[in-house]
Amino acid sequence: MLGGSVFIALTRFIISIAGVIIFYVLISTPRFDTKKTVLCYSCFAAIASTVLCIWYIKDWSGCVRLGPLTTYVSFVVFAIFMSSGSLFLSIYKLALDFYLLALFMIGGIEISIVFFDKNIWADIIARIMLIIIISYFINKYLKEPVKEFSIYVEEELDWFSAVIMIMSLFFGIGYILGPGLDHTPFRLFQIIMNLFLTGTLQILIYRLYLHIGKEQEYQRENQLMQMNHRLLERQMEILDESVASGRRICHDIRHHNTVIAEFAQRGQYAELLQYLKEYEKITNIGVNKFICANTAVNNILSAYTRKAEKENINVTIDAELERRFPIPNIDLVTILSNAYENAIYGCMEVLKNEEKECFINILIKRKRNKLVICCSNTCQIETKIMHGQPKPEFTGGIGVSSIVKTAEKYGGEYDFKNDNGIFVFRLIMNIPQ
């Protein structure tokens, strides 16, 4: 630090705290509205500046040595409270904020020492200019990418990565800010290298989690494509059966008319009614059953019910959904098709190993502003749940993440469990108003 009167110290404190707040607000999502956010951060800046000034007067050496770090630790706690993001996401953004703090603080000091013979006002002006430049750069080039990238960090960042990142940044920047070291060309080289290495760490973390997040997106898209492929297969099976049935009926229509006429001429009306019932049963092959009023849900449930019945699986469905449902059909189909497919897979795995009667029960109900979905099916006794979800080898690796992702989109709560050979999936989602 370059020293100076209490007024100079206060000016530096206010500039530094303001810079940290500006950077963090630009890259974070506040918990409160704009007016309340500005008021809270202003109060924090005022209190922190006052405490630092008193500390500066009472213990100049201690304030110079520990003041910046103490203030930033206090800001970390306050900023986490003010942010609406998760803890890991806030930690990542605070680490980036800490790096930018060191950048403009050290930049101002070094500019003053190297070019202006340790002029105090040169340091202050340099800090202000660096804050403006960095803020402009964040707002124009980093604000949107960081917010988009935040989704990946929130999903993938773990405790180990967060702790290592924070320790690396604090050690690197803490060493640079440490007083008592002579200003020499070697010291300047150390500062530049520390800033370079900590900046590189930020870039590596950004690229790592960006890559992980993109990979997860590709996997989800691949699952969605596989799901669409399976749906098309089910629909094609239904279409092929309908076409074959139609051709057979058209080919045999003359024979049917002859038989009907013969029954009528002989007055064998009971036999005629029985024949017509059998004829109706044949013509209904390939036609979707009516399960509920929602066309998309009705079709998907019909398609998978036909597949289950072919595998000798008993199916019971209780579905009540209106034709125009607030939740988009694509989201409903994503959940139901994956859940039904997993249930069929579970039953088929049981049938491979033992002769046992398998079943699938599906319940779909609307309870006021909630959608309730429950699917239970026969499964292997050894089916295991890990981290609240079934392991991929017990579901065929199909769609559990798609179910979870879609459920979370509507603030849903879900659970999976193996109840002694009966796999149960339950889901409650909010229905948009």
Side-chain angles (χ1 to χ4, degrees):
M1 305 296 285
L2 300 179
S5 64
V6 175
F7 174 75
I8 296 297
L10 177 61
T11 303
R12 281 202 186 114
F13 293 149
I14 293 175
I15 292 172
S16 299
I17 294 171
V20 171
I21 292 174
I22 290 170
F23 297 156
Y24 188 73
V25 169
L26 286 175
I27 61 177
S28 67
T29 304
R31 182 188 300 270
F32 307 110
D33 58 73
T34 304
K35 184 177 180 180
K36 189 172 182 179
T37 300
V38 172
L39 179 61
C40 290
Y41 278 119
S42 299
C43 291
F44 174 84
I47 294 171
S49 300
T50 303
V51 172
L52 283 172
C53 281
I54 296 173
W55 189 1
Y56 187 81
I57 295 171
K58 297 292 184 181
D59 183 11
W60 177 88
S61 177
C63 182
V64 168
R65 184 179 297 274
L66 299 175
L69 184 60
T70 303
T71 305
Y72 190 76
V73 171
S74 302
F75 177 75
V76 165
V77 177
F78 182 75
I80 290 175
F81 169 75
M82 293 294 294
S83 176
S84 62
S86 66
L87 177 61
F88 289 151
L89 180 59
S90 298
I91 288 174
Y92 172 81
K93 292 181 177 180
L94 286 165
L96 176 59
D97 200 14
F98 187 40
Y99 176 75
L100 297 174
L101 163 68
L103 195 62
F104 76 77
M105 282 183 64
I106 296 167
I109 293 172
E110 295 303 320
I111 288 173
S112 175
I113 293 174
V114 175
F115 298 104
F116 298 97
D117 193 26
K118 299 185 179 181
N119 184 279
I120 292 175
W121 291 106
D123 169 38
I124 293 174
I125 294 172
R127 291 190 189 193
I128 295 174
M129 294 302 298
L130 286 172
I131 290 172
I132 293 173
I133 293 171
I134 295 172
S135 298
Y136 173 79
F137 181 80
I138 292 174
N139 191 59
K140 188 168 184 178
Y141 298 105
L142 288 181
K143 188 175 181 179
E144 294 305 321
V146 166
K147 286 186 177 180
E148 181 182 1
F149 167 67
S150 298
I151 299 172
Y152 305 140
V153 176
E154 193 166 9
E155 293 177 349
E156 305 296 338
L157 191 65
D158 55 15
W159 275 109
F160 179 78
S161 301
V163 170
I164 293 298
M165 178 179 63
I166 295 300
M167 287 177 61
S168 301
L169 287 170
F170 267 80
F171 284 147
I173 304 303
Y175 175 76
I176 296 172
L177 292 175
L181 296 176
D182 295 332
H183 189 274
T184 63
F186 179 69
R187 166 65 174 164
L188 185 60
F189 173 77
Q190 286 181 315
I191 291 174
I192 294 173
M193 288 307 299
N194 269 275
L195 288 173
F196 171 76
L197 291 174
T198 50
T200 303
L201 175 64
Q202 288 283 337
I203 295 173
L204 288 175
I205 292 172
Y206 174 85
R207 292 184 63 84
L208 172 64
Y209 285 103
L210 185 65
H211 173 76
I212 293 174
K214 289 291 184 182
E215 186 66 25
Q216 292 292 336
E217 277 195 355
Y218 293 149
Q219 291 179 6
R220 285 192 290 267
E221 289 174 1
N222 183 50
Q223 285 187 342
L224 185 60
M225 292 175 64
Q226 291 179 359
M227 182 192 70
N228 290 334
H229 178 71
R230 295 195 301 272
L231 293 179
L232 287 174
E233 285 182 339
R234 299 290 87 77
Q235 293 294 341
M236 289 298 296
E237 289 175 4
I238 294 173
L239 181 60
D240 289 343
E241 291 177 359
S242 299
V243 171
S245 177
R247 287 176 179 173
R248 186 173 62 254
I249 291 172
C250 289
H251 180 269
D252 296 339
I253 191 69
R254 288 181 291 111
H255 303 292
H256 292 307
N257 288 339
T258 301
V259 173
I260 291 172
E262 187 66 23
F263 277 130
Q265 288 177 358
R266 295 184 179 185
Q268 298 174 327
Y269 300 115
E271 290 81 354
L272 175 59
L273 289 174
Q274 180 64 30
Y275 180 80
L276 290 174
K277 289 180 180 179
E278 293 177 358
Y279 179 70
E280 181 182 8
K281 183 178 180 180
I282 293 173
T283 56
N284 282 334
I285 294 177
V287 178
N288 285 347
K289 298 178 182 179
F290 179 82
I291 298 176
C292 69
N294 187 284
T295 304
V297 173
N298 187 82
N299 289 341
I300 192 62
L301 293 178
S302 297
Y304 279 102
T305 298
R306 294 174 64 82
K307 178 179 174 64
E309 290 174 347
K310 283 184 179 180
E311 302 294 339
N312 296 319
I313 301 171
N314 297 322
V315 178
T316 303
I317 300 177
D318 184 6
E320 294 181 5
L321 287 182
E322 57 266 35
R323 184 178 182 83
R324 296 184 180 276
F325 200 70
I327 297 177
N329 289 333
I330 184 63
D331 292 330
L332 292 172
V333 168
T334 297
I335 294 172
L336 294 174
S337 62
N338 282 298
Y340 210 157
E341 184 94 15
N342 291 342
I344 294 174
Y345 179 86
C347 291
M348 291 174 64
E349 289 298 301
V350 173
L351 292 173
K352 285 181 183 179
N353 303 320
E354 56 182 306
E355 292 185 3
K356 182 179 180 180
E357 185 174 351
C358 294
F359 69 88
I360 298 175
N361 295 331
I362 298 176
L363 172 69
I364 308 171
K365 295 283 187 179
R366 177 173 184 168
K367 303 286 187 179
R368 296 182 181 177
N369 64 331
K370 303 285 185 181
L371 175 64
V372 179
I373 298 175
C374 181
C375 178
S376 59
N377 61 274
T378 310
C379 71
Q380 300 178 77
I381 297 292
E382 58 269 23
T383 300
K384 296 180 180 179
I385 307 297
M386 180 176 292
H387 303 303
Q389 298 180 18
K391 300 179 71 173
E393 56 265 34
F394 296 107
T395 63
I398 298 173
V400 172
S401 61
S402 296
I403 294 175
V404 171
K405 191 70 176 178
T406 306
E408 290 176 347
K409 179 179 176 182
Y410 297 94
E413 297 181 4
Y414 57 87
D415 73 333
F416 302 87
K417 70 175 181 177
N418 180 1
D419 188 8
N420 195 28
I422 298 177
F423 187 83
V424 180
F425 160 61
R426 295 178 296 183
L427 168 66
I428 300 178
M429 291 196 308
N430 296 319
I431 299 175
Q433 298 299 319

